[in-house]
Amino acid sequence: MINIVLFGPPGSGKGTQAQSLIKKFDLKQLSTGDLFRNNIKNETELGKLAKTYIDKGVLVPDEVTTRMLVDELEKNTETKGFIFDGYPRTAKQTEALEKIVAEVLNDKIAICLSLVVEDEILVKRLLERGKISKRSDDADEKIIRSRIKEYYEKTAEVAELYKKQDKYVEVNGVGNIEEIAQKLFSEVEKVI
């Protein structure tokens, strides 16, 4: 089994590269955003609970997110591995994920891949994406810069934990999509 934590600031191409990794290694992507949306849409108990926090404009507690993640892992034990996208974001979540993967899958996180892109390129990409997607958070440069800053602040401690385990790898996220994918494939192949 291959379990990958995929990092990248908004606009880094993380979504595109996640799809490449999924196809190449036959993995399942676990995105916390998707977990929230699916649980809320299907009105699961966890979805209803998460919605009470979201409706108040506060972060969903780690315990709720973690329970959603465990439920999803338990449903997909036949997969060849997972890409964790959007989780973990804190040291506490990192420790929880390590424990969950060990207990539920009897495995470990193999690698943390981090797409690295200069801030100015991220801003330019997101503004372009905003013109096409009409997403309000991709149309305002001030909001974009705030999201990028928040990403770095939140993920710094997670990166440090994976660096200490020699599982953290930075990959240049600028250039040809296929070339970037090949770099990611090469890093994954080193740990399988």
Side-chain angles (χ1 to χ4, degrees):
M1 190 172 257
I2 309 165
N3 297 299
I4 300 169
V5 171
L6 184 59
F7 268 6
S12 64
K14 187 172 54 139
T16 300
Q17 293 304 334
Q19 293 309 307
S20 297
L21 288 162
I22 288 164
K23 286 178 191 160
K24 172 76 174 173
F25 298 104
D26 194 21
L27 305 175
K28 174 148 179 58
Q29 184 175 10
L30 286 182
S31 155
T32 48
D34 290 344
L35 283 177
F36 286 143
R37 283 185 288 279
N38 291 337
N39 276 276
I40 290 168
K41 179 182 162 201
N42 294 319
E43 297 184 354
T44 67
E45 289 305 311
L46 289 173
K48 290 174 188 173
L49 182 57
K51 191 172 182 334
T52 64
Y53 292 101
I54 293 167
D55 288 348
K56 293 176 196 166
V58 295
L59 291 174
V60 176
D62 281 353
E63 301 79 46
V64 177
T65 307
T66 301
R67 284 173 44 207
M68 284 184 189
L69 197 64
V70 169
D71 285 354
E72 196 62 27
L73 287 173
E74 288 174 341
K75 284 188 235 171
N76 292 286
T77 55
E78 299 303 311
T79 186
K80 292 185 179 173
F82 293 91
I83 294 177
F84 295 93
D85 173 7
Y87 190 95
R89 295 233 185 226
T90 64
K92 184 178 174 187
Q93 287 181 355
T94 304
E95 290 160 6
L97 181 62
E98 296 282 337
K99 188 176 176 188
I100 291 164
V101 170
E103 290 174 1
V104 177
L105 303 175
N106 196 27
D107 208 348
K108 62 185 177 13
I109 298 297
I111 192 168
C112 175
L113 296 170
S114 180
L115 289 167
V116 179
V117 179
E118 294 170 30
D119 289 359
E120 294 311 309
I121 294 172
L122 294 171
V123 170
K124 185 178 175 186
R125 284 181 180 178
L126 290 169
L127 287 171
E128 284 300 313
R129 184 172 84 181
K131 290 176 189 173
I132 297 163
S133 70
K134 307 291 186 223
R135 282 178 51 171
S136 59
D137 60 341
D138 284 347
D140 183 321
E141 185 172 334
K142 194 173 179 180
I143 291 172
I144 290 170
R145 289 188 185 279
S146 175
R147 285 169 51 212
I148 293 168
K149 183 176 182 263
E150 181 184 11
Y151 165 82
Y152 290 127
E153 288 170 357
K154 282 185 173 178
T155 58
E157 64 184 7
V158 177
E160 285 307 311
L161 285 171
Y162 284 119
K163 283 177 187 176
K164 287 177 185 170
Q165 297 177 32
D166 288 327
K167 293 181 180 181
Y168 183 82
V169 178
E170 291 184 346
V171 175
N172 185 344
V174 179
N176 175 288
I177 291 171
E178 186 56 37
E179 288 172 5
I180 297 165
Q182 290 302 322
K183 291 178 199 172
L184 292 170
F185 298 163
S186 173
E187 294 299 335
V188 172
E189 286 165 349
K190 289 177 187 176
V191 298
I192 57 174

